[in-house]
Amino acid sequence: MTSRKGTVRYLVEAGLIAALYAVLCLVLQPIAYGSLQFRPAEAMTLLPLILPSSVPGLTIGCAIANFWSPYGLIDICFGALATLLAACVTRMIGKKLSFRKAVWLAPLPPTLFNALIVGGVLTFMTAEEGARLPAFGVFAFEVGICELAVCAILGIPLVLAMKRFYHPVSR
């Protein structure tokens, strides 16, 4: 059971992560939405490897950021769902594998969940009836490749630095 101090720290960490995620998306709005979305905030999707509070923080931050998405409520719900699923699977990878192995596998859950779910949202919201299957392939590829790039180029160094310099109370 966590102490009150541990619970407060967990909530503060989750809130800070949510705020940072949302602010990064809003500040970089021109590149943060659409099929070719380069969201530097997505680098934080690797944090569940070492920081349990990042699971709710990322989910809430994504939902808040998607209030400004051109795709409305569907993107708020399904974008946050993709983030939640990715964070939970990333957390499981962190618990099951050594950190040295987990850090290299951690970009896969955010890449796959975002490619499939966000690619599906974009297809549903923009593609014509007869062109949905090929459109889904294109959207899933575009979202996935951008997500993988952000997670690999920014996320891995971020989580390596966090592992070295930040020592959370709850593991």
Side-chain angles (χ1 to χ4, degrees):
M1 184 142 175
T2 60
S3 68
R4 181 171 165 85
K5 183 178 178 184
T7 303
V8 170
R9 183 173 177 146
Y10 182 92
L11 291 173
V12 169
E13 287 172 350
L16 287 171
I17 290 167
L20 184 58
Y21 185 101
V23 167
L24 279 172
C25 288
L26 292 176
V27 167
L28 301 168
Q29 194 168 13
I31 61 170
Y33 299 95
S35 62
L36 287 172
Q37 54 181 250
F38 187 80
R39 280 189 178 189
E42 286 292 309
M44 294 190 301
T45 61
L46 276 63
L47 289 179
L49 286 177
I50 58 172
L51 200 58
S53 60
S54 64
V55 175
L58 291 167
T59 305
I60 294 166
C62 180
I64 292 168
N66 284 349
F67 272 97
W68 287 268
S69 165
Y71 304 108
L73 186 59
I74 193 167
D75 197 19
I76 294 168
C77 296
F78 285 98
L81 175 64
T83 300
L84 175 61
L85 293 172
C88 288
V89 173
T90 302
R91 182 79 188 134
M92 284 192 293
I93 289 171
K95 286 178 149 182
K96 300 285 183 191
L97 300 176
S98 70
F99 180 76
R100 297 181 99 194
K101 291 178 184 175
V103 73
W104 300 107
L105 291 175
L108 296 179
T111 299
L112 294 174
F113 284 110
N114 278 289
L116 296 174
I117 296 173
V118 175
V121 167
L122 293 170
T123 301
F124 178 77
M125 297 300 289
T126 63
E128 296 293 325
E129 187 69 37
R132 286 207 170 132
L133 188 58
F136 174 72
V138 170
F139 287 139
F141 176 77
E142 289 175 346
V143 170
I145 202 75
C146 292
E147 184 75 18
L148 183 60
V150 169
C151 289
I153 294 168
L154 300 176
I156 290 173
L158 172 67
V159 82
L160 289 172
M162 289 287 292
K163 176 78 170 165
R164 182 171 179 185
F165 296 111
Y166 181 73
H167 303 289
V169 172
S170 56
R171 294 232 170 199

